[in-house]
Amino acid sequence: MTKQGAFIHEIEEQKQLQINGVTDQVLAHLRATNMENRVNGSARSPITSTDQNGNTVVPVTNLSTGTQTNVVIQMNNGNVTRVVQ
Ligand SMILES: [Zn+2]
């Protein structure tokens, strides 16, 4: 995951909702994830899970090697405090 990918994800998601008239938040999120993957050169799952510590776990596949890793996003009071890749 990259900050560039996260940025384009949010831009595309809001474009889908505010300009393209998409009313389904999940569809907007899936389209945003596709755009994010194109920027990153990787495929991150649009489906995340929560680990035992309350962190968000995002599976990411490196498209050049096929290797899948989990990116763990640590949060505190709604703010990202650490991203472990
Ligand atoms: Zn999203």
Side-chain angles (χ1 to χ4, degrees), residues 10-50:
E10 297 308 320
I11 296 295
E12 180 64 23
E13 202 159 56
Q14 291 308 311
K15 178 186 154 206
Q16 292 295 322
L17 295 169
Q18 296 181 36
I19 297 173
N20 291 8
V22 172
T23 56
D24 184 342
Q25 299 267 347
V26 173
L27 178 59
H29 176 69
L30 291 174
R31 289 179 176 172
T33 302
N34 282 337
M35 188 66 73
E36 177 186 336
N37 287 340
R38 289 170 62 185
V39 168
N40 287 340
S42 59
R44 86 147 167 104
S45 171
I47 301 168
T48 62
S49 59
T50 304

